[in-house]
């Protein structure tokens, strides 16, 4: 049986950044150990961000990214720089190839405060293996020195050894046939690692499950779109949360996301809300971001709301036209990507919240929802 690799969103992201022809792609190939990126003396050879999963000693698997060079004067130069800015949003460690003492852009650490910037001065006249060993040693040291600023688990202290955790997992038409979506897979694996007892059901089986269980569950985790239905059937002393809420705490700053949701009670009738989804897929009539959440927003706040959608990497740099951003759980993003989006919204004084947190606030049950 083929083993399943750790999702790329769970791995450290290392990015090569610098001017055109500064040697980024040459270094990328040295670190990868093969001619993976095209190199040439022609400026602008690298036209998009190129990623490769590699293994590093003492660290394990990481994602290495090669970016288009800064200072590309070609007609596509600005589009290539836009792709680099997206890559910087998700970077944990940025290796800056430079010939001067300062970073190419001294403001980079201010705009990407969650990344570590490591200036490099390399001479490719050295033997390639020597350069590779030296850079890998610097990467390992930099990653070891990075502060631990993430939750260590999805459930945190909400689930402990011996607990019974009930997962209410609708399998609608948007779910991949024969497979579970990533948050459900990660949740089940984590709970098994914690030696919890896991009971996974579809929503229509909730009452039957309560009758068959000898006792009440210690925690219930549901899909955010089912908050109201599950909450009304659940005894008030049973902790309730959702996959989206737990994922947002795992990937972002949940304190700021909860604060952002409070704006929902203060929005004007014609407010402009941006709904941002991390992944790209064809919407269905059961889609939470495109269908269920907008419907609930209009039911609670009125039909004059203006709701826009973006997905994947298409997150606007200018958020000034929005009164609120509602983001998905970001299961397909690494932590830095969501944190950077939160920082960008914060700098522009635009509140940001999360699907599950927003739904709970709109339903008036946010105080009922437990947070890790």
């Amino acid at each position: 049986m083929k083993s399943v690799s750790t999702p790329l969103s769970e791995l450290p992201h290392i990015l090569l950044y610098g001017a055109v022809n500064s040697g980024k792609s040459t270094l990328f190939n040295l670190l990868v150990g093969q001619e993976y990126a095209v190199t040439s003396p022609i400026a602008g050879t690298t036209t998009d961000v190129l990623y490769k999963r590699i293994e590093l000693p003492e660290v394990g698997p990481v994602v290495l990214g090669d970016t288009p060079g800064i200072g590309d004067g070609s007609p596509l130069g600005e589009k290539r720089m836009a792709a680099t800015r997206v890559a910087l949003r998700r970077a944990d460690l940025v290796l800056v190839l430079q010939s001067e003492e300062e970073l190419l852009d001294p403001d980079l650490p201010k705009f990407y405060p969650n990344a570590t910037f490591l200036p490099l001065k390399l001479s490719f006249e050295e033997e390639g293996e020597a350069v590779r060993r030296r850079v890998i040693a610097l990467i390992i040291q930099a990653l070891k020195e990075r502060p631990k600023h993430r939750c260590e688990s999805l459930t945190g202290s909400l689930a402990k050894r011996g607990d019974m955790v009930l997962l209410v997992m609708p399998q609608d038409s948007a779910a991949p046939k024969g497979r579970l979506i990533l948050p459900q897979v990660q949740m089940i694996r984590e709970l098994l690692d914690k030696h919890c007892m896991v009971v996974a059901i579809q929503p229509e089986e909730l009452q039957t499950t309560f009758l068959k269980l000898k006792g009440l569950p210690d925690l219930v985790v549901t899909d955010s779109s089912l908050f109201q239905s599950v909450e009304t059937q659940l005894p008030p002393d049973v902790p309730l949360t959702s996959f989206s809420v737990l994922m947002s705490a795992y990937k972002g700053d949940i304190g700021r996301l909860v604060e952002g949701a409070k704006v929902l009670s203060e929005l004007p009738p014609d407010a402009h809300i941006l709904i941002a989804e991390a992944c790209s897929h064809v919407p269905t009539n059961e889609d939470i971001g495109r269908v269920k959440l907008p419907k609930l927003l209009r039911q609670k706040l009125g039909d004059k709301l203006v709701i826009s959608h973006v997905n994947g990497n298409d997150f606007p740099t200018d958020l000034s036209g929005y009164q609120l951003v509602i983001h998905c759980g970001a299961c397909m993003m690494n932590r830095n990507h969501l944190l950077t989006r939160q920082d960008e919204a914060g700098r522009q004084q635009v509140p940001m919240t999360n699907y599950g947190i927003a739904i709970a606030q709109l339903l008036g049950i946010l105080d009922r929802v437990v947070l890790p």
Side-chain angles (χ1 to χ4, degrees):
M1 181 182 294
K2 183 179 178 181
S3 63
V4 179
S5 299
T6 302
L8 298 184
S9 59
E10 295 294 303
L11 302 180
H13 280 55
I14 302 167
L15 199 67
L16 305 183
Y17 179 90
V20 292
N21 284 5
S22 59
K24 298 184 304 301
S25 296
T26 299
L27 178 58
F28 182 87
N29 288 338
L30 280 174
L31 295 174
V32 169
Q34 58 179 291
E35 294 298 311
Y36 198 78
V38 176
T39 59
S40 86
I42 301 173
T45 300
T46 303
T47 58
D48 203 350
V49 181
L50 181 65
Y51 288 105
K52 177 68 173 174
R53 178 185 178 127
I54 64 172
E55 295 274 341
L56 292 180
E58 302 180 50
V59 174
V62 300
V63 179
L64 182 68
D66 185 22
T67 61
I70 309 304
D72 182 352
S74 72
L76 293 177
E78 178 49 39
K79 288 190 175 181
R80 292 169 180 169
M81 187 59 218
T84 298
R85 285 193 289 267
V86 170
L88 284 167
R89 282 174 170 165
R90 59 169 66 99
D92 295 286
L93 176 62
V94 182
L95 306 182
V96 183
L97 276 70
Q98 57 180 35
S99 56
E100 304 296 332
E101 290 296 328
E102 296 182 346
L103 292 171
L104 291 172
D105 182 349
D107 287 332
L108 276 177
K110 179 177 72 174
F111 288 110
Y112 304 97
N114 304 302
T116 297
F117 287 83
L118 181 62
L120 288 180
K121 287 187 178 181
L122 300 178
S123 171
F124 290 101
E125 295 178 359
E126 298 179 60
E127 193 269 324
E129 188 56 38
V131 173
R132 184 174 187 269
R133 285 197 302 268
R134 181 154 59 87
V135 173
I136 286 178
L138 290 171
I139 291 173
I140 292 171
Q141 185 63 30
L143 290 178
K144 286 181 176 179
E145 292 176 354
R146 273 182 62 78
K148 300 291 184 183
H149 62 278
R150 69 173 300 157
C151 298
E152 292 302 318
S153 70
L154 280 167
T155 54
S157 61
L158 296 180
K160 62 184 184 301
R161 189 184 188 99
D163 280 353
M164 179 188 295
V165 182
L166 179 62
L167 306 180
V168 185
M169 299 173 13
Q171 302 301 302
D172 56 33
S173 60
K177 186 175 178 59
R179 294 182 292 120
L180 299 174
I181 60 174
L182 183 59
Q184 295 170 353
V185 172
Q186 288 184 281
M187 180 69 66
I188 292 171
R189 176 54 196 265
E190 176 178 309
L191 293 172
L192 291 174
D193 287 343
K194 284 187 167 186
H195 296 275
C196 295
M197 291 173 281
V198 183
V199 180
I201 64 169
Q202 295 223 47
E204 56 268 27
E205 299 158 358
L206 187 57
Q207 284 302 313
T208 304
T209 302
F210 287 151
L211 291 174
K212 289 188 174 183
L213 291 176
K214 291 185 177 179
L216 292 173
D218 298 290
L219 175 68
V220 174
V221 184
T222 184
D223 189 90
S224 298
S225 65
L226 297 173
F227 257 149
Q228 189 167 38
S229 172
V230 174
E231 195 271 338
T232 57
Q233 299 179 68
L234 202 62
D237 56 339
V238 176
L240 171 67
T241 190
S242 80
F243 292 97
S244 180
V245 170
L246 295 179
M247 188 62 72
S248 72
Y250 185 62
K251 294 296 180 84
D253 183 339
I254 194 168
R256 284 190 285 167
L257 294 172
V258 170
E259 283 299 311
K262 296 177 181 178
V263 175
L264 284 164
S265 61
E266 307 167 359
L267 291 176
D270 59 348
H272 194 173
I273 297 175
L274 177 67
I275 296 179
E277 191 165 28
C279 56
S280 302
H281 64 269
V282 178
T284 69
N285 60 359
E286 297 173 313
D287 189 86
I288 185 169
R290 300 276 176 159
V291 179
K292 294 180 179 179
L293 181 54
K295 181 179 179 181
L296 181 60
L297 284 165
R298 291 196 167 99
Q299 284 176 347
K300 298 294 182 178
L301 304 178
D303 290 331
K304 292 183 180 180
L305 282 180
V306 180
I307 301 174
S308 299
H309 296 84
V310 292
N311 59 6
N313 290 325
D314 296 335
F315 191 77
T317 55
D318 183 3
L319 298 169
S320 60
Y322 304 103
Q323 280 74 55
L324 177 66
V325 177
I326 306 179
H327 207 288
C328 71
C331 64
M332 301 303 294
M333 288 180 164
N334 70 340
R335 180 172 169 84
N336 270 10
H337 201 162
L338 181 57
L339 284 173
T340 301
R341 287 186 174 186
Q342 285 191 256
D343 291 340
E344 290 173 354
R347 280 195 297 271
Q348 298 176 61
Q349 298 184 326
V350 178
M352 179 185 286
T353 190
N354 156 269
Y355 281 15
I357 297 169
I359 290 171
Q361 174 73 12
L362 289 166
L363 296 174
I365 61 170
L366 185 55
D367 291 341
R368 170 79 171 85
V369 174
V370 293
L371 308 176

